[in-house]
């Protein structure tokens, strides 16, 4: 059963090495993410699942100890998902040639970095990557499966809102982006499961809102859990919507 969730953005620039400096404009986002992880730990989960967008279609699971790096962004920074893997571990999650971050997709690598910053030790950790094109029902199914894994499951949900807030944004300016982000922030603040499930996947793709699928996995996991939400951070540095919220 889902007992708590944290929603965080996943720009690699959260990692100071990638940002080639502290990137102080993201200090408030980093602080909000740390606060959200504190809420997860306080819920005393017996399992934490980090959910984010995958590099390809469909779903892919990553075990505790899966590794990633930010070599694809020009730095040698490496991360490990939870405890370090046993020596000799194999599989896609530890393949150093897989993707821009090594084994983990970018979103999960950033999630692993956030967990390292707070020295996460509250519960075992695993990861799930979901394709950005995954349909709502596929996301709901994934969420329900996660919630059924243990009696006290927590989620760290990694995903950005739109990338079209300004002319300098990765997706250029789209007048629909601000409204989409405002609605997403409202739904996450209210822990509105039906509202999240009603998000338009096509519009989210057009606005390059990578968080849509992970948010809908959260909605699938939270059905019937009766959680309340709180928005901790909302801003759009670099023209990309970043949201931090907690459900508990």
């Amino acid at each position: 059963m889902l007992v708590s969730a944290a929603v965080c953005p996943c720009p690699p620039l959260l990692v100071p090495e990638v940002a080639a400096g502290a990137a102080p404009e993201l200090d408030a986002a980093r602080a909000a993410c740390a606060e959200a992880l504190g809420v997860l730990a306080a819920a005393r989960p017996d399992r934490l699942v980090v959910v984010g967008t995958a590099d390809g279609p469909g779903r892919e699971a990553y075990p505790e100890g899966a590794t990633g790096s930010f070599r694809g962004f020009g730095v040698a920074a490496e991360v490990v998902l939870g405890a370090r893997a046993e020596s000799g571990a194999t599989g896609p999650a530890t393949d150093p040639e897989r993707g821009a971050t090594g084994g983990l997709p970018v979103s999960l690598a950033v999630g692993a970095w956030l967990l390292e910053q707070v020295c996460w030790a509250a519960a075992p950790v695993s990861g799930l990557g979901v394709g950005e094109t995954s349909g709502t029902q596929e996301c709901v199914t994934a969420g329900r499966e996660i919630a059924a894994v243990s009696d006290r499951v927590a989620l760290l949900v990694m995903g950005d809102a739109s990338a079209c807030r300004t002319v300098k944004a990765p997706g250029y300016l789209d007048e629909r982006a601000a409204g989409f982000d405002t609605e997403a922030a409202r739904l996450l603040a209210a822990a509105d499961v039906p509202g999240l499930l009603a998000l338009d996947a096509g519009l989210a793709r057009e606005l390059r809102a990578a968080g849509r699928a992970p948010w809908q996995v959260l909605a699938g996991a939270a059905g019937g859990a009766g959680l309340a939400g709180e928005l901790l951070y909302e801003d759009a540095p670099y023209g990309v919507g970043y949201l931090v919220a907690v459900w508990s």
Side-chain angles (χ1 to χ4, degrees):
M1 180 178 177
L2 186 69
V3 296
S4 187
V7 176
C8 294
C10 58
L13 290 175
L14 281 178
V15 181
E17 293 93 331
V18 175
E25 62 273 21
L26 291 177
D27 282 351
R30 295 185 185 105
C33 290
E35 181 180 352
L37 291 175
V39 172
L40 290 188
R44 295 179 298 170
D46 51 31
R47 168 69 56 181
L48 173 66
V49 181
V50 185
V51 178
T53 51
D55 293 332
R59 289 186 269 164
E60 186 154 9
Y62 295 85
E64 185 160 36
T67 60
S69 82
F70 295 95
R71 290 188 303 275
F73 301 97
V75 297
E78 297 185 350
V79 291
V80 177
L81 187 64
R84 291 193 174 270
E86 296 290 336
S87 59
T90 60
T94 55
D95 180 355
E97 301 302 320
R98 181 182 173 82
T101 58
L104 296 169
V106 174
S107 61
L108 297 188
V110 175
W113 181 84
L114 289 175
L115 291 171
E116 289 183 357
Q117 302 315 295
V118 299
C119 301
W120 176 269
V125 182
S126 60
L128 179 70
V130 292
E132 288 188 39
T133 59
S134 298
T136 297
Q137 189 53 54
E138 182 179 358
C139 294
V140 169
T141 298
R144 288 174 177 169
E145 291 174 355
I146 291 171
V149 165
S150 182
D151 289 339
R152 300 188 62 81
V153 178
L155 283 181
L156 173 55
V157 183
M158 306 298 299
D160 300 339
S162 73
C164 302
R165 294 284 292 273
T166 69
V167 294
K168 293 185 178 181
Y172 196 68
L173 175 64
D174 190 311
E175 298 294 345
R176 302 171 295 175
F180 179 92
D181 290 357
T182 296
E183 177 65 2
R186 185 189 69 81
L187 296 172
L188 291 170
D192 187 337
V193 168
L196 287 176
L197 296 180
L199 285 174
D200 187 327
L203 177 60
R205 284 194 298 274
E206 292 174 12
L207 298 177
R208 300 178 64 169
R212 189 275 310 173
W215 298 339
Q216 290 187 331
V217 172
L218 166 60
L227 303 182
E230 180 182 0
L231 189 68
L232 302 182
Y233 175 87
E234 177 184 7
D235 203 355
Y238 320 121
V240 181
Y242 297 151
L243 304 170
V244 180
V246 290
W247 291 16
S248 58

